[in-house]
Amino acid sequence: MMDPGVSSAGRFLDACAGRPVDRPPVWMMRQAGRYLPEYRAVREKVTFLELCRSVDLAAEVSLQPFRRFSPDGVIFFSDILVPIEAMGARVEFGDGGPDLPEPVRTSADVARLSRFDPSERVRFTGEILGRLAREVGDRAAVLGFCGAPWTLASYLVEGGGSRSFSVIKEMMAREPETLRRLLDLLADVAADVLSYQIASGARAVQLFDTWAGELSTQDYREWALPAASRAVAGIRRNGAPVILYINGSAHLIELMAATGVDVLSVDWRLSLSEARRRVPGAALQGNLDPASLGGAPDDVRRRTRAMIRETGGAGHIANLGHGILPSARLDCVEAFFETARQPLSRGAVAKEMVV
Ligand code: CP3
């Protein structure tokens, strides 16, 4: 039944488990970022990696969207490439995105990377999460995250972002054992990192396999799926649900569920009603087109209402279909949160997700 006193953290965890909610919880991927003037003000004074490593500043920018919009989830500020650096790779952030000047292509390159103890090498991430957990309490679910093996491997092998992902795809044929070893190593690192984040205060964690949607169904099944499954199986969850995000996952949704995660986070290309039909037992997250937040508030309200109607609000975490863009308008973001926070109509309330 609807419980008007439910906390945001409780609502978030209820939605992940497909339990009844008064309304879907809502947050935005990349909600701490350049569309916020207060983020840009902090960023003017430090480099991106300095910001990631400063407990005070990273906690501060994680809380900026919370103060403005009261999302039900507060993701800690960091980047999927932080653990990559801790493994021993060189990572630089320029204006064009991440740059890894020593790409990993051979078994000797993989051998130079190591599994590490997160409480030693990225202790600051645990400290940021602990700080957020204390500040936020039950007013939101503090969220941890990590890149999934395939997406992390694509940055390591390509040496940065890519359009075609041709180097890592060539590696599937030419260096299959090296690539398999790299993916297994990254799966273990992801599991260690997420376990540490949960132990430090994260109430739920998200695996970002952003670029796995570039694979055919068969290649996903052969390469990205076993590695993601290994990561998921290795997480010491302590009750924390796991969310998996893939951009362009319309052909993969059934296989996403096979990784063993609790929540499937999908982009705007696949309707949530189709996702629900194809994977009835999984909670869903998404899927407003982030570009719509550069448009007009009325359009955002209409799209957000339509999105929630797709699931009836059950087993659904309202979110974007990918990270928010720097061009997003604050009045549109406000319209998104305000609309998603409307209580569900009586007929829809307390409807248990059919599993
Ligand atoms: O969600 C949040 O607010 C938490 C912080 C967060 C960042 N990156 C901060 C960031 C999270 C969860 C990420 C994840 C991430 N990083 C992904 C997966 C999600 C996705 O959006 O696909 C990927 C692929 C990366 C790698 C990365 N980091 C890229 C490609 C870039 C450059 C592109 C860009 O948006 O600038 C980054 C930099 C980055 N990570 C910024 C932020 C706020 C911008 C850096 C700046 O302030 O200049």
Side-chain angles (χ1 to χ4, degrees):
M1 275 307 291
M2 181 166 67
D3 172 9
V6 72
S7 73
S8 282
R11 179 184 293 117
F12 197 100
L13 297 173
D14 283 346
C16 290
R19 290 189 291 265
V21 287
D22 56 341
R23 61 163 175 86
V26 56
W27 68 288
M28 299 188 303
M29 289 189 270
R30 297 273 203 116
Q31 64 191 13
R34 287 161 297 181
Y35 73 104
L36 286 176
E38 57 270 37
Y39 174 84
R40 295 195 299 268
V42 173
R43 242 317 246 115
E44 256 173 32
K45 296 180 216 131
V46 289
T47 67
F48 178 67
L49 283 173
E50 282 166 354
L51 179 49
C52 291
R53 289 194 199 103
S54 158
V55 176
D56 288 340
L57 292 179
E60 165 60 24
V61 298
S62 311
L63 290 169
Q64 287 174 344
F66 181 62
R67 294 195 192 107
R68 244 185 215 270
F69 308 116
S70 306
D72 298 292
V74 171
I75 190 164
F76 88 111
F77 189 84
S78 193
D79 196 83
I80 61 165
L81 295 169
V82 165
I84 291 296
E85 197 185 33
M87 292 174 77
R90 265 181 63 201
V91 178
E92 288 158 16
F93 279 90
D95 282 343
D99 180 30
L100 291 81
E102 292 158 1
V104 171
R105 311 248 162 109
T106 66
S107 60
D109 295 337
V110 175
R112 277 193 287 274
L113 299 172
S114 55
R115 195 170 172 177
F116 60 90
D117 179 349
S119 71
E120 285 172 11
R121 299 292 289 276
V122 291
R123 188 167 192 89
F124 56 92
T125 60
E127 289 170 357
I128 298 163
L129 283 160
R131 177 90 60 92
L132 292 174
R134 281 193 300 281
E135 294 252 348
V136 166
D138 278 341
R139 292 183 297 152
V142 171
L143 307 176
F145 72 94
C146 187
W150 178 264
T151 291
L152 293 178
S154 75
Y155 279 100
L156 279 165
V157 170
E158 301 282 338
S162 176
R163 277 189 169 272
S164 62
F165 297 89
S166 56
V167 186
I168 191 167
K169 288 183 176 181
E170 286 159 16
M171 210 170 158
M172 298 191 298
R174 298 162 74 108
E175 288 279 342
E177 276 151 36
T178 304
L179 182 56
R180 189 73 68 192
R181 202 153 357 103
L182 175 61
L183 289 166
D184 282 349
L185 172 62
L186 290 166
D188 294 340
V189 166
D192 292 344
V193 160
L194 293 175
S195 301
Y196 175 62
Q197 293 178 9
I198 292 165
S200 304
R203 306 283 287 268
V205 294
Q206 178 156 328
L207 263 173
F208 281 97
D209 215 352
T210 307
W211 306 128
E214 299 289 332
L215 293 171
S216 70
T217 308
Q218 189 48 38
D219 284 334
Y220 180 83
R221 194 196 302 274
E222 231 176 286
W223 293 96
L225 173 63
S229 304
R230 176 173 171 136
V232 172
I235 303 169
R236 290 176 293 282
R237 293 195 194 200
N238 198 16
V242 182
I243 307 168
L244 173 63
Y245 171 74
I246 299 182
N247 187 24
S249 61
H251 60 307
L252 300 175
I253 182 106
E254 292 87 357
L255 294 177
M256 284 173 81
T259 58
V261 297
D262 304 275
V263 184
L264 310 181
S265 185
V266 301
D267 73 72
W268 58 94
R269 298 171 187 92
L270 176 68
S271 75
L272 294 176
S273 52
E274 185 183 336
R276 178 60 43 88
R277 214 174 324 116
R278 283 169 54 189
V279 191
L284 300 172
Q285 178 175 266
N287 68 343
L288 187 80
D289 186 339
S292 70
L293 297 180
D298 271 346
D299 178 64
V300 170
R301 285 187 197 98
R302 186 182 57 74
R303 288 172 184 268
T304 305
R305 277 194 297 269
M307 170 184 85
I308 291 169
R309 268 199 301 274
E310 301 263 341
T311 58
H316 179 197
I317 301 168
N319 203 320
L320 310 181
H322 196 186
I324 189 168
L325 298 166
S327 54
R329 296 167 48 120
L330 294 173
D331 57 352
C332 289
V333 176
E334 188 53 60
F336 170 66
F337 277 103
E338 183 197 286
T339 309
R341 264 199 295 271
Q342 298 294 314
L344 294 173
S345 61
R346 277 188 68 94
V349 173
K351 205 187 278 168
E352 191 115 16
M353 191 179 73
V354 185
V355 181

